[in-house]
Amino acid sequence: MDIPADLETKINEAISHYPVSKRSAVLPVLHLLQHHFGFVSEEGVTYAAEKLGLEPINVLEVVTFYPGFRQCAPGKYHIRACRTLSCAMSGSYELMDKLCSEAGIDRSTVTHHDPIAVSKDGKYSIEFAECLASCGFGPVCLVNDEFHEKVEPEKAKGLLNQYS
Amino acid sequence: MGDIKYLQGKQPHAREKRLIFRNIDREGWDTSIERYVKEGGYDQAKKALKMEPKAVTDEVKGSGLRGRGGAGFPTGVKWGFIPPKNTKPVYLICNADESEPGTFKDRYILHQDPHQLIEGMIISSFAVGAHLAYIYVREEFPEAAQILEKAIAEAHEKGFLGKDIQGSGFDLEIYVHRGAGAYICGEETGLIESLEGKRPYPRIKPPYFPAALGLYMSPTIVNNVETLCHVKHIIEMGGEEYAKLGTPRNTGTRILCVSGDVQKPGYYEVEVGKLTFGELLNDVCGGLLPGRKLKAVIPGGSSAKVLKADERFKIKKGDEEVEIGVEDIPMDFDTLMACGSMAGSGGVIIMDDSRSMSWVLNNINNFYAHESCGQCTPCREGSLWMKKITDRIEAGGGMPSDVDTLASVAKNIDGRTICAFGEASSWPTSSFVAKFRDELIGATDEANASKPSNKEQAAQQRYLAEEPVA
């Protein structure tokens, strides 16, 4: 696995935050790998395990547990739309439908274990997220690392246009 | 609040008392340390570092501060659980995993006033003797993590973190640790497991508090973001003065997050118990949408039991028992508990008569089925079972007996799990069934009872209906 020098520096810096136990750095190392490569690959798991002196299973069980880690590539812009109560009351399911139809995403293959759907051109991907903690201003969504409030269904196209 | 100017359209309501949210949505405010120090920022940390650690804890105990994360446990008492003869290192963890549906208060502290949290953490770490502290911030707050990291670097530069802080001889390092989207990490022992780099399976109790055995099997104090910020104000005002805010046993201010069917949803910081639900709804939040009637309210995040609009409660007022309605309930810890629900994390979700309760319950059940960590069988199986039943009711395939099945599944989760997630996931179902039974039954159809509910049942019915081959 080809880890660029600047990524390696960041990884070493992250590990230094846990003077008591290197194992604590599993999540931060995985975050850095995912941020760089878009997802956590098998090699990524092995790399993290070697780096932290763990068995690969110790890393893999973390990757498969947390919804925040993915094992396949998302689109260039990954959308996470909140589906929990307050957002659902303000129209998050309609927003999801609108975003999918505008971005050309087919969600029919989505399952619990494979929650991400990607558009054919690979530009957008989408998944439902549980409560993003901005319940008074729903529907809300995250596009990559940017947060958007009050994205009523009719604003779906406008949101996508900000990322093209 | 005097001369502080807030952004247009974001001015606090007259009934608010802004302590923690003093700088939120302020005109000309930013997250830099210069701005923070200009108005007395870090003065309380300097003051606390000159005190005895025990004196700081005593102020917090005297303030009556109760945890703002959900359980409402007295903060000073929690700190006191560190074994007196402890020789291991002590850790402080700030729980910034805010993820209880309906709650959105910590978000603003992290994004707009990070130094207030850091100052609260310095004081708290000093009180409990921690030299290493982590802020466990949920992965869905990527911007907040960056803001915090910048703020920590600034505090380092100015000598408020690191070795020998302000010449006091006290050392402290704070690091940001990002979660990865799991609700269960809000449970303090689950959080600790996650911080140790494992799956966040909550730990078996006892020990009941990580203050005895926590991170790396050392004494660990886990406090919510808002709670740690309150510590700063307790040092500023003195515990006794702080305790005058709010009502006895329910002291201080707290941030109520209102969402759902109201005119002005949002965050409101009020003195605990000084506001009834009716005042919150009608005065502060501008009432319901035109022509609508109140149907139900979830008063403390989605795991709190739902309250029905026409319910009556008998509560103790002094020595006598009085009967009150939903709108008369003061929004404090004790009264909400006496009414069979809880103040929880302060997330108030309001539903009007346009909402179908089976739809609402189904949405909540979907959340808990998704977030159960899977460690304990009753919760792992039960939360998914309840979701499947309400999914079926929503799809028009429910039968009346489903409602009793829901209640029985919920009853069998409650109290039978390692952590409080069992209660969190079963209380919505048990309270919705108890209070909206007729409506839920109305959403089902007797005719569905004779229909097969899955492929296997259909095959079985076909098999039983056929004459045996001779």
Side-chain angles (χ1 to χ4, degrees):
Chain A
M1 187 171 208
D2 195 18
I3 304 281
D6 60 332
L7 178 60
E8 180 107 42
T9 315
K10 281 186 201 163
I11 288 173
N12 290 335
E13 161 73 22
I15 295 171
S16 76
H17 293 178
Y18 306 93
V20 184
S21 162
K22 258 163 90 176
R23 185 170 183 173
S24 282
V26 171
L27 266 72
V29 170
L30 289 173
H31 275 307
L32 287 166
L33 291 173
Q34 176 164 290
H35 193 257
H36 183 82
F37 295 102
F39 65 105
V40 181
S41 64
E42 245 178 82
E43 292 113 304
V45 169
T46 319
Y47 168 82
E50 277 171 10
K51 190 86 192 164
L52 301 172
L54 298 167
E55 293 300 324
I57 186 64
N58 301 139
V59 178
L60 185 64
E61 66 172 4
V62 168
V63 175
T64 54
F65 183 93
Y66 292 90
F69 296 123
R70 41 183 188 256
Q71 292 176 280
C72 56
K76 184 177 174 197
Y77 302 109
H78 183 56
I79 306 166
R80 286 189 280 176
C82 176
R83 58 130 246 120
T84 318
L85 189 55
S86 302
C87 277
M89 284 166 74
S90 54
S92 62
Y93 279 79
E94 292 83 353
L95 171 67
M96 174 57 95
D97 290 345
K98 253 304 207 274
L99 285 168
C100 286
S101 66
E102 292 289 347
I105 298 175
D106 172 20
R107 280 190 87 239
S108 63
T109 56
V110 161
T111 63
H112 175 75
H113 294 287
D114 189 11
I116 298 173
V118 190
S119 68
K120 276 206 179 103
D121 56 5
K123 193 155 132 193
Y124 301 106
S125 56
I126 200 160
E127 70 179 314
F128 262 139
E130 296 297 348
C131 194
L132 295 178
S134 188
C135 313
F137 311 100
V140 303
C141 57
L142 268 168
V143 184
N144 292 348
D145 279 355
E146 283 171 26
F147 184 68
H148 299 268
E149 284 176 344
K150 291 195 169 202
V151 193
E152 286 87 6
E154 59 272 18
K155 293 186 189 157
K157 195 172 182 178
L159 178 73
L160 293 175
N161 286 342
Q162 290 179 41
Y163 300 93
S164 50
Chain B
M1 278 160 242
D3 52 347
I4 298 177
K5 276 210 175 92
Y6 290 91
L7 295 171
Q8 193 60 35
K10 303 230 172 169
Q11 288 92 348
H13 190 273
R15 296 289 302 265
E16 282 191 64
K17 163 89 185 160
R18 291 253 179 139
L19 213 60
I20 306 296
F21 268 20
R22 182 174 177 267
N23 301 324
I24 305 300
D25 299 328
R26 247 182 98 171
E27 239 175 53
W29 183 258
D30 59 57
T31 57
S32 70
I33 195 163
E34 287 79 16
R35 188 72 190 81
Y36 185 72
V37 169
K38 211 192 238 173
E39 279 180 40
Y42 288 107
D43 283 357
Q44 305 316 317
K46 288 182 201 162
K47 182 172 154 191
L49 289 171
K50 291 194 186 103
M51 293 164 70
E52 281 296 314
K54 194 179 167 297
V56 176
T57 307
D58 286 342
E59 288 296 330
V60 175
K61 274 187 186 160
S63 74
L65 176 68
R66 294 171 71 170
R68 301 294 196 249
F73 194 84
T75 307
V77 178
K78 197 182 206 179
W79 290 3
F81 287 147
I82 296 175
K85 287 179 185 156
N86 172 59
T87 51
K88 295 182 198 168
V90 177
Y91 304 105
L92 179 87
I93 302 175
C94 168
N95 186 344
D97 194 53
E98 173 162 80
S99 42
E100 178 71 26
T103 318
F104 50 104
K105 57 188 180 66
D106 302 340
R107 159 186 289 282
Y108 300 97
I109 301 169
L110 302 175
H111 283 88
Q112 297 188 31
D113 206 358
H115 286 289
Q116 182 184 196
L117 172 64
I118 294 171
E119 184 170 7
M121 286 182 74
I122 295 170
I123 301 167
S124 307
S125 297
F126 177 70
V128 303
H131 301 291
L132 183 57
Y134 291 98
I135 305 175
Y136 190 103
V137 56
R138 66 181 304 199
E139 182 255 347
E140 293 89 334
F141 288 174
E143 209 189 327
Q146 281 176 11
I147 292 170
L148 284 169
E149 266 164 6
K150 184 171 159 267
I152 289 170
E154 286 176 335
H156 245 284
E157 219 169 90
K158 302 267 180 201
F160 292 109
L161 286 175
K163 293 253 175 256
D164 189 22
I165 298 171
Q166 303 291 312
S168 65
F170 178 69
D171 310 335
L172 176 67
E173 292 293 343
I174 299 180
Y175 296 111
V176 175
H177 182 93
R178 291 182 67 202
Y183 170 78
I184 198 65
C185 294
E187 203 276 353
E188 54 185 7
T189 59
L191 186 154
I192 287 170
E193 288 286 307
S194 178
L195 190 46
E196 288 184 0
K198 303 174 204 156
R199 283 188 169 196
Y201 291 144
R203 290 180 182 169
I204 292 175
K205 288 99 188 159
Y208 292 99
F209 291 95
L213 282 177
L215 186 65
Y216 311 129
M217 288 297 151
S218 293
T220 305
I221 299 296
V222 185
N223 283 138
N224 171 263
V225 174
E226 189 192 338
T227 313
L228 289 167
C229 291
H230 277 289
V231 172
K232 179 205 145 178
H233 298 277
I234 290 168
I235 296 304
E236 185 170 357
M237 299 168 71
E240 207 175 309
E241 200 58 32
Y242 178 92
K244 288 180 188 159
L245 290 172
T247 50
R249 280 184 44 79
N250 296 271
T251 57
T253 62
R254 85 171 300 180
I255 300 148
L256 296 174
C257 316
V258 185
S259 62
D261 303 316
V262 289
Q263 299 271 7
K264 282 185 278 178
Y267 38 83
Y268 304 98
E269 184 172 359
V270 296
E271 288 187 52
V272 186
K274 286 279 174 78
L275 206 66
T276 63
F277 172 66
E279 288 168 331
L280 175 69
L281 170 61
N282 298 313
D283 303 347
V284 179
C285 298
L288 297 160
L289 304 177
R292 289 290 169 198
K293 277 202 297 217
L294 181 69
K295 186 168 184 179
V297 56
I298 300 174
S302 73
S303 47
K305 289 187 176 177
V306 67
L307 301 174
K308 197 177 170 185
D310 59 5
E311 249 182 291
R312 306 290 296 172
F313 309 94
K314 286 202 171 113
I315 59 158
K316 277 225 160 80
K317 212 170 195 177
D319 284 335
E320 53 183 325
E321 203 177 57
V322 288
E323 199 185 90
I324 58 168
V326 167
E327 299 211 357
D328 310 320
I329 301 177
M331 300 297 286
D332 65 25
F333 295 97
D334 292 337
T335 319
L336 279 164
M337 197 179 272
C339 295
S341 190
M342 63 174 183
S345 53
V348 184
I349 307 174
I350 294 168
M351 289 159 274
D352 68 22
D353 56 352
S354 69
R355 300 293 170 187
S356 143
M357 289 297 116
S358 67
W359 179 85
V360 171
L361 179 60
N362 183 231
N363 187 288
I364 298 176
N365 282 350
N366 264 281
F367 175 81
Y368 289 105
H370 185 266
E371 298 299 339
S372 171
C373 79
Q375 190 177 208
C376 313
T377 313
C379 169
R380 179 185 66 237
E381 302 298 318
S383 59
L384 197 67
W385 191 356
M386 295 190 297
K387 165 198 153 21
K388 284 178 176 171
I389 292 177
T390 50
D391 271 351
R392 185 166 70 195
I393 293 175
E394 271 308 285
M399 50 189 143
S401 66
D402 280 349
V403 178
D404 288 328
T405 311
L406 276 175
S408 108
V409 175
K411 187 165 169 277
N412 283 305
I413 303 174
D414 192 355
R416 290 180 163 87
T417 53
I418 288 172
C419 80
F421 188 97
E423 283 75 51
S425 63
S426 61
W427 285 356
T429 296
S430 58
S431 61
F432 274 81
V433 170
K435 295 175 186 182
F436 296 98
R437 192 184 165 79
D438 293 345
E439 186 181 338
L440 293 176
I441 290 181
T444 64
D445 187 350
E446 186 66 54
N448 287 327
S450 56
K451 289 180 193 158
S453 55
N454 55 37
K455 266 193 259 167
E456 288 75 18
Q457 227 177 44
Q460 189 191 35
Q461 278 188 8
R462 230 175 15 250
Y463 176 79
L464 291 171
E466 276 167 20
E467 289 292 314
V469 185

